[in-house]
């Protein structure tokens, strides 16, 4: 197995730039004869190795492959993380997204699956012969699609992992119309404040953060878990439920943007058997109704896309399972989100791209 060690993160990033130097559409950029005036973004949810569906969605949105990457004349994609695991076309997914980011046709944030892949392939310096993410049966199963896809090409695996290191934990994009926020699971100012001194200038993890956030009980672990997997609250003593994979859970992931509720009413996901006891307000983050729009992935929703709040949208609609779909939101600067701006593509089951 190919592994990674503790070289400097930013230097290992292909085409690495701080966010202050990212060239955004609409900020005096000439593309052919068209001079863009306003940044317009297409936010795309968790792809999970479904490259063929991603390519179809990009085509629906008007992106054309120009020999370097998929590109739009007047818009830019923002990926919400979780490019890998589950689906059948891991390498094509990473190649597509990485080429778009390096070609400045897209931005992206890290998902928990990218963080987990880095930890899975990084030796633990405190326990020689082991890895930051232990190679247990459960963890091997979760990463099987990604690991199997690269087992015959250590060089391309190394390139993919180096790129994962370059992905910021969150983005806050300033535009003439107002700000736009992007994070994989939870916009938590407290977690961001705790991590900020330890991150690089582009909100990217360092070697120290990777190591400490892989160890339960550390402040970094709690902060990264919250940003990339969502806010969890422990159930009342003696209570548990089974998650979608059949694992027993004693904590519930909540709708953190809400102001109040019970464990059952605020549970994020389809699980049943969750108690209806009230959750103390000290456990909630809340998200102000007049705050900038924030876009999330991660939550494995089903059905037709809908807004979670007038300024909160989740774009993960389970593309990696039968009847799932890949979801985008076409953001044109609005601070109150519009249901009509969702764009979807049903999971394609047949051939690879």
């Amino acid at each position: 197995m190919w592994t990674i060690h503790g070289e400097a993160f930013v230097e290992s990033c292909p085409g690495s730039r701080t966010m202050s130097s990212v060239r955004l559409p609409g900020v005096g950029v000439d593309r052919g004869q068209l001079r863009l005036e306003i940044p317009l973004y297409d936010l795309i949810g968790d792809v999970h190795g479904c490259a063929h569906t991603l390519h179809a969605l990009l085509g629906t949105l008007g992106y054309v492959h120009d020999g370097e990457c998929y590109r739009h004349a007047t818009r830019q994609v923002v990926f919400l993380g979780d490019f890998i695991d589950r689906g059948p076309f891991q390498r094509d997914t990473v190649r597509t997204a990485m080429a778009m980011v390096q070609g400045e046709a897209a931005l992206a944030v890290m998902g928990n699956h990218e963080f987990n892949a880095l930890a899975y392939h990084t030796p633990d310096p405190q326990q020689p012969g082991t890895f930051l993410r232990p190679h247990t049966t459960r963890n091997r199963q979760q990463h099987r699609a990604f690991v199997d896809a690269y087992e015959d090409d250590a060089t391309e695996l190394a390139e993919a992992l180096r790129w994962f290191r370059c992905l910021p934990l969150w983005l806050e994009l300033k535009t003439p119309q107002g700000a736009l926020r992007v994070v994989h699971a939870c916009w938590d100012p407290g977690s961001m404040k705790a991590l900020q001194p330890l991150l690089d200038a582009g909100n990217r993890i360092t070697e120290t953060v990777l190591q400490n956030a892989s160890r339960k009980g550390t402040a970094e672990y709690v902060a990264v878990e919250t940003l990339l997997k969502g806010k969890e609250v422990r159930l009342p003593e003696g209570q548990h439920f089974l998650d979608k994979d059949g694992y027993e859970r004693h904590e519930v992931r909540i709708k953190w943007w809400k102001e109040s509720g019970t464990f059952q009413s605020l549970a994020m996901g389809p699980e049943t058997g969750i108690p209806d006891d009230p959750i103390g307000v000290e456990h909630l983050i809340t998200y102000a109704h007049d705050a900038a729009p924030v876009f999330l992935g991660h939550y494995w929703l089903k059905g037709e896309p809908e807004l979670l709040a007038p300024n909160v949208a989740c774009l993960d609609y389970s593309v990696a399972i039968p009847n799932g779909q890949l979801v985008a939101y076409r953001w044109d600067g609005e601070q109150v989100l519009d249901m009509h701006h969702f764009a979807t593509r049903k999971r394609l089951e047949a051939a690879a791209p």
Side-chain angles (χ1 to χ4, degrees), residues 80 110 112 169 182-187 225-231 253-254 256-257 295-299:
L80 302 184
M110 179 180 285
N112 60 299
L169 291 177
V182 182
V183 68
H184 186 63
C186 178
W187 190 271
E225 284 275 303
T226 300
L227 297 177
L228 299 189
K229 297 174 72 173
K231 176 70 173 177
R253 191 167 294 134
I254 62 170
W256 49 267
W257 57 91
F295 289 89
L296 321 167
H298 185 64
Y299 289 107

mmCIF file of all heavy atoms in Angstrom, residues 80 110 112 169 182-187 225-231 253-254 256-257 295-299:
data_model
loop_
_atom_site.group_PDB
_atom_site.id
_atom_site.type_symbol
_atom_site.label_atom_id
_atom_site.label_comp_id
_atom_site.label_asym_id
_atom_site.label_seq_id
_atom_site.Cartn_x
_atom_site.Cartn_y
_atom_site.Cartn_z
ATOM 1 N N LEU A 80 -18.741 20.429 -3.208
ATOM 2 C CA LEU A 80 -18.947 20.396 -1.769
ATOM 3 C C LEU A 80 -18.223 19.247 -1.066
ATOM 4 O O LEU A 80 -18.467 18.992 0.113
ATOM 5 C CB LEU A 80 -20.449 20.313 -1.454
ATOM 6 C CG LEU A 80 -21.301 21.450 -2.031
ATOM 7 C CD1 LEU A 80 -22.749 21.317 -1.568
ATOM 8 C CD2 LEU A 80 -20.752 22.804 -1.617
ATOM 9 N N MET A 110 -13.082 20.284 1.211
ATOM 10 C CA MET A 110 -12.835 18.909 1.635
ATOM 11 C C MET A 110 -14.094 18.305 2.242
ATOM 12 O O MET A 110 -14.822 18.954 2.982
ATOM 13 C CB MET A 110 -11.695 18.882 2.659
ATOM 14 C CG MET A 110 -11.365 17.489 3.187
ATOM 15 S SD MET A 110 -10.007 17.502 4.406
ATOM 16 C CE MET A 110 -8.597 17.761 3.320
ATOM 17 N N ASN A 112 -15.584 14.698 4.422
ATOM 18 C CA ASN A 112 -15.059 13.763 5.413
ATOM 19 C C ASN A 112 -14.413 12.544 4.752
ATOM 20 O O ASN A 112 -13.472 11.960 5.296
ATOM 21 C CB ASN A 112 -16.148 13.327 6.392
ATOM 22 C CG ASN A 112 -17.313 12.627 5.735
ATOM 23 O OD1 ASN A 112 -18.001 13.213 4.892
ATOM 24 N ND2 ASN A 112 -17.567 11.382 6.113
ATOM 25 N N LEU A 169 -11.124 23.517 4.284
ATOM 26 C CA LEU A 169 -12.239 23.008 5.089
ATOM 27 C C LEU A 169 -13.515 23.804 4.854
ATOM 28 O O LEU A 169 -14.612 23.274 5.020
ATOM 29 C CB LEU A 169 -11.877 23.051 6.575
ATOM 30 C CG LEU A 169 -10.786 22.077 7.021
ATOM 31 C CD1 LEU A 169 -10.475 22.269 8.500
ATOM 32 C CD2 LEU A 169 -11.183 20.629 6.748
ATOM 33 N N VAL A 182 -19.576 27.962 1.991
ATOM 34 C CA VAL A 182 -19.548 26.566 1.576
ATOM 35 C C VAL A 182 -18.774 25.766 2.618
ATOM 36 O O VAL A 182 -17.651 26.122 2.973
ATOM 37 C CB VAL A 182 -18.869 26.406 0.201
ATOM 38 C CG1 VAL A 182 -18.906 24.944 -0.240
ATOM 39 C CG2 VAL A 182 -19.519 27.305 -0.835
ATOM 40 N N VAL A 183 -19.391 24.684 3.098
ATOM 41 C CA VAL A 183 -18.726 23.769 4.025
ATOM 42 C C VAL A 183 -19.373 22.405 3.819
ATOM 43 O O VAL A 183 -20.539 22.326 3.417
ATOM 44 C CB VAL A 183 -18.859 24.249 5.484
ATOM 45 C CG1 VAL A 183 -20.299 24.152 5.987
ATOM 46 C CG2 VAL A 183 -17.911 23.507 6.410
ATOM 47 N N HIS A 184 -18.647 21.340 4.096
ATOM 48 C CA HIS A 184 -19.201 20.030 3.782
ATOM 49 C C HIS A 184 -20.421 19.689 4.629
ATOM 50 O O HIS A 184 -21.382 19.118 4.109
ATOM 51 C CB HIS A 184 -18.139 18.941 3.943
ATOM 52 C CG HIS A 184 -18.617 17.593 3.486
ATOM 53 N ND1 HIS A 184 -18.970 17.346 2.178
ATOM 54 C CD2 HIS A 184 -18.831 16.432 4.163
ATOM 55 C CE1 HIS A 184 -19.381 16.081 2.067
ATOM 56 N NE2 HIS A 184 -19.296 15.512 3.256
ATOM 57 N N ALA A 185 -20.417 20.004 5.915
ATOM 58 C CA ALA A 185 -21.533 19.554 6.754
ATOM 59 C C ALA A 185 -22.084 20.602 7.712
ATOM 60 O O ALA A 185 -23.291 20.632 7.943
ATOM 61 C CB ALA A 185 -21.124 18.313 7.559
ATOM 62 N N CYS A 186 -21.253 21.453 8.308
ATOM 63 C CA CYS A 186 -21.759 22.341 9.364
ATOM 64 C C CYS A 186 -20.946 23.627 9.412
ATOM 65 O O CYS A 186 -19.728 23.584 9.586
ATOM 66 C CB CYS A 186 -21.692 21.626 10.714
ATOM 67 S SG CYS A 186 -22.241 22.633 12.114
ATOM 68 N N TRP A 187 -21.634 24.740 9.261
ATOM 69 C CA TRP A 187 -20.973 26.050 9.383
ATOM 70 C C TRP A 187 -20.988 26.436 10.861
ATOM 71 O O TRP A 187 -21.939 26.984 11.373
ATOM 72 C CB TRP A 187 -21.690 27.099 8.540
ATOM 73 C CG TRP A 187 -20.907 28.379 8.448
ATOM 74 C CD1 TRP A 187 -20.987 29.433 9.311
ATOM 75 C CD2 TRP A 187 -19.924 28.726 7.466
ATOM 76 N NE1 TRP A 187 -20.103 30.423 8.929
ATOM 77 C CE2 TRP A 187 -19.428 30.016 7.793
ATOM 78 C CE3 TRP A 187 -19.405 28.081 6.342
ATOM 79 C CZ2 TRP A 187 -18.452 30.663 7.031
ATOM 80 C CZ3 TRP A 187 -18.430 28.717 5.595
ATOM 81 C CH2 TRP A 187 -17.966 29.996 5.940
ATOM 82 N N GLU A 225 -14.561 17.040 13.010
ATOM 83 C CA GLU A 225 -15.762 16.203 12.936
ATOM 84 C C GLU A 225 -17.010 17.055 12.739
ATOM 85 O O GLU A 225 -17.895 16.716 11.948
ATOM 86 C CB GLU A 225 -15.910 15.378 14.226
ATOM 87 C CG GLU A 225 -14.980 14.208 14.328
ATOM 88 C CD GLU A 225 -15.519 12.969 13.632
ATOM 89 O OE1 GLU A 225 -16.625 12.528 13.981
ATOM 90 O OE2 GLU A 225 -14.826 12.446 12.739
ATOM 91 N N THR A 226 -17.097 18.165 13.447
ATOM 92 C CA THR A 226 -18.274 19.031 13.339
ATOM 93 C C THR A 226 -18.377 19.637 11.942
ATOM 94 O O THR A 226 -19.441 19.608 11.323
ATOM 95 C CB THR A 226 -18.231 20.140 14.400
ATOM 96 O OG1 THR A 226 -18.217 19.541 15.707
ATOM 97 C CG2 THR A 226 -19.438 21.062 14.281
ATOM 98 N N LEU A 227 -17.288 20.177 11.425
ATOM 99 C CA LEU A 227 -17.318 20.817 10.114
ATOM 100 C C LEU A 227 -17.589 19.823 8.992
ATOM 101 O O LEU A 227 -18.322 20.140 8.041
ATOM 102 C CB LEU A 227 -15.992 21.530 9.849
ATOM 103 C CG LEU A 227 -15.626 22.687 10.775
ATOM 104 C CD1 LEU A 227 -14.247 23.234 10.408
ATOM 105 C CD2 LEU A 227 -16.666 23.797 10.720
ATOM 106 N N LEU A 228 -17.010 18.619 9.082
ATOM 107 C CA LEU A 228 -17.078 17.669 7.974
ATOM 108 C C LEU A 228 -18.153 16.604 8.127
ATOM 109 O O LEU A 228 -18.514 15.956 7.138
ATOM 110 C CB LEU A 228 -15.719 16.977 7.787
ATOM 111 C CG LEU A 228 -14.534 17.881 7.450
ATOM 112 C CD1 LEU A 228 -13.320 17.035 7.092
ATOM 113 C CD2 LEU A 228 -14.860 18.837 6.319
ATOM 114 N N LYS A 229 -18.689 16.419 9.338
ATOM 115 C CA LYS A 229 -19.716 15.387 9.529
ATOM 116 C C LYS A 229 -20.978 15.903 10.190
ATOM 117 O O LYS A 229 -21.989 15.202 10.229
ATOM 118 C CB LYS A 229 -19.127 14.228 10.351
ATOM 119 C CG LYS A 229 -17.977 13.535 9.641
ATOM 120 C CD LYS A 229 -17.302 12.486 10.509
ATOM 121 C CE LYS A 229 -18.154 11.260 10.709
ATOM 122 N NZ LYS A 229 -17.394 10.195 11.427
ATOM 123 N N GLY A 230 -20.933 17.125 10.721
ATOM 124 C CA GLY A 230 -22.123 17.713 11.311
ATOM 125 C C GLY A 230 -22.080 17.731 12.827
ATOM 126 O O GLY A 230 -21.246 17.082 13.458
ATOM 127 N N LYS A 231 -22.976 18.496 13.397
ATOM 128 C CA LYS A 231 -23.068 18.631 14.843
ATOM 129 C C LYS A 231 -23.790 17.417 15.427
ATOM 130 O O LYS A 231 -24.902 17.082 15.015
ATOM 131 C CB LYS A 231 -23.838 19.904 15.194
ATOM 132 C CG LYS A 231 -24.102 20.117 16.673
ATOM 133 C CD LYS A 231 -22.848 20.432 17.445
ATOM 134 C CE LYS A 231 -23.181 20.802 18.897
ATOM 135 N NZ LYS A 231 -21.965 21.046 19.699
ATOM 136 N N ARG A 253 -26.963 13.153 14.920
ATOM 137 C CA ARG A 253 -26.576 14.319 14.137
ATOM 138 C C ARG A 253 -27.812 15.198 13.968
ATOM 139 O O ARG A 253 -28.872 14.717 13.578
ATOM 140 C CB ARG A 253 -26.021 13.876 12.794
ATOM 141 C CG ARG A 253 -25.359 14.980 12.008
ATOM 142 C CD ARG A 253 -24.564 14.412 10.849
ATOM 143 N NE ARG A 253 -23.434 13.634 11.335
ATOM 144 C CZ ARG A 253 -23.093 12.439 10.879
ATOM 145 N NH1 ARG A 253 -23.794 11.860 9.937
ATOM 146 N NH2 ARG A 253 -22.052 11.813 11.370
ATOM 147 N N ILE A 254 -27.674 16.480 14.253
ATOM 148 C CA ILE A 254 -28.859 17.338 14.332
ATOM 149 C C ILE A 254 -28.882 18.412 13.241
ATOM 150 O O ILE A 254 -27.880 18.708 12.612
ATOM 151 C CB ILE A 254 -28.954 18.026 15.714
ATOM 152 C CG1 ILE A 254 -27.730 18.928 15.951
ATOM 153 C CG2 ILE A 254 -29.110 16.995 16.823
ATOM 154 C CD1 ILE A 254 -27.853 19.825 17.153
ATOM 155 N N TRP A 256 -28.487 21.576 12.824
ATOM 156 C CA TRP A 256 -27.806 22.552 13.665
ATOM 157 C C TRP A 256 -28.254 23.984 13.411
ATOM 158 O O TRP A 256 -28.023 24.861 14.246
ATOM 159 C CB TRP A 256 -26.291 22.446 13.455
ATOM 160 C CG TRP A 256 -25.892 22.448 12.009
ATOM 161 C CD1 TRP A 256 -25.697 21.359 11.209
ATOM 162 C CD2 TRP A 256 -25.678 23.592 11.182
ATOM 163 N NE1 TRP A 256 -25.365 21.754 9.938
ATOM 164 C CE2 TRP A 256 -25.349 23.117 9.882
ATOM 165 C CE3 TRP A 256 -25.715 24.973 11.393
ATOM 166 C CZ2 TRP A 256 -25.074 23.966 8.821
ATOM 167 C CZ3 TRP A 256 -25.431 25.829 10.342
ATOM 168 C CH2 TRP A 256 -25.124 25.323 9.062
ATOM 169 N N TRP A 257 -28.868 24.260 12.278
ATOM 170 C CA TRP A 257 -29.286 25.626 11.952
ATOM 171 C C TRP A 257 -30.599 26.013 12.631
ATOM 172 O O TRP A 257 -30.997 27.159 12.608
ATOM 173 C CB TRP A 257 -29.424 25.766 10.428
ATOM 174 C CG TRP A 257 -30.388 24.788 9.836
ATOM 175 C CD1 TRP A 257 -31.729 24.961 9.628
ATOM 176 C CD2 TRP A 257 -30.082 23.468 9.403
ATOM 177 N NE1 TRP A 257 -32.278 23.829 9.086
ATOM 178 C CE2 TRP A 257 -31.285 22.903 8.925
ATOM 179 C CE3 TRP A 257 -28.910 22.718 9.344
ATOM 180 C CZ2 TRP A 257 -31.345 21.604 8.424
ATOM 181 C CZ3 TRP A 257 -28.991 21.432 8.846
ATOM 182 C CH2 TRP A 257 -30.186 20.885 8.391
ATOM 183 N N PHE A 295 -24.070 26.462 1.755
ATOM 184 C CA PHE A 295 -24.349 25.229 1.024
ATOM 185 C C PHE A 295 -23.582 24.077 1.662
ATOM 186 O O PHE A 295 -22.403 24.204 1.995
ATOM 187 C CB PHE A 295 -23.961 25.382 -0.448
ATOM 188 C CG PHE A 295 -24.890 26.288 -1.205
ATOM 189 C CD1 PHE A 295 -24.653 27.651 -1.255
ATOM 190 C CD2 PHE A 295 -26.018 25.781 -1.830
ATOM 191 C CE1 PHE A 295 -25.512 28.492 -1.936
ATOM 192 C CE2 PHE A 295 -26.889 26.612 -2.524
ATOM 193 C CZ PHE A 295 -26.639 27.970 -2.571
ATOM 194 N N LEU A 296 -24.272 22.930 1.801
ATOM 195 C CA LEU A 296 -23.753 21.752 2.471
ATOM 196 C C LEU A 296 -23.867 20.536 1.562
ATOM 197 O O LEU A 296 -24.686 20.502 0.642
ATOM 198 C CB LEU A 296 -24.554 21.463 3.747
ATOM 199 C CG LEU A 296 -25.009 22.641 4.603
ATOM 200 C CD1 LEU A 296 -26.036 22.173 5.618
ATOM 201 C CD2 LEU A 296 -23.806 23.274 5.284
ATOM 202 N N GLY A 297 -23.074 19.520 1.857
ATOM 203 C CA GLY A 297 -23.251 18.200 1.276
ATOM 204 C C GLY A 297 -23.561 17.229 2.397
ATOM 205 O O GLY A 297 -24.290 17.538 3.329
ATOM 206 N N HIS A 298 -23.014 16.012 2.289
ATOM 207 C CA HIS A 298 -22.850 15.070 3.387
ATOM 208 C C HIS A 298 -24.078 14.293 3.851
ATOM 209 O O HIS A 298 -23.940 13.133 4.226
ATOM 210 C CB HIS A 298 -22.259 15.791 4.614
ATOM 211 C CG HIS A 298 -21.946 14.856 5.753
ATOM 212 N ND1 HIS A 298 -20.992 13.865 5.648
ATOM 213 C CD2 HIS A 298 -22.471 14.732 6.996
ATOM 214 C CE1 HIS A 298 -20.938 13.185 6.789
ATOM 215 N NE2 HIS A 298 -21.822 13.692 7.616
ATOM 216 N N TYR A 299 -25.267 14.850 3.837
ATOM 217 C CA TYR A 299 -26.350 14.302 4.652
ATOM 218 C C TYR A 299 -27.166 13.190 4.006
ATOM 219 O O TYR A 299 -28.132 12.723 4.587
ATOM 220 C CB TYR A 299 -27.249 15.440 5.147
ATOM 221 C CG TYR A 299 -26.567 16.286 6.198
ATOM 222 C CD1 TYR A 299 -26.126 17.566 5.900
ATOM 223 C CD2 TYR A 299 -26.325 15.788 7.467
ATOM 224 C CE1 TYR A 299 -25.479 18.343 6.854
ATOM 225 C CE2 TYR A 299 -25.671 16.545 8.426
ATOM 226 C CZ TYR A 299 -25.258 17.818 8.109
ATOM 227 O OH TYR A 299 -24.609 18.578 9.055
#
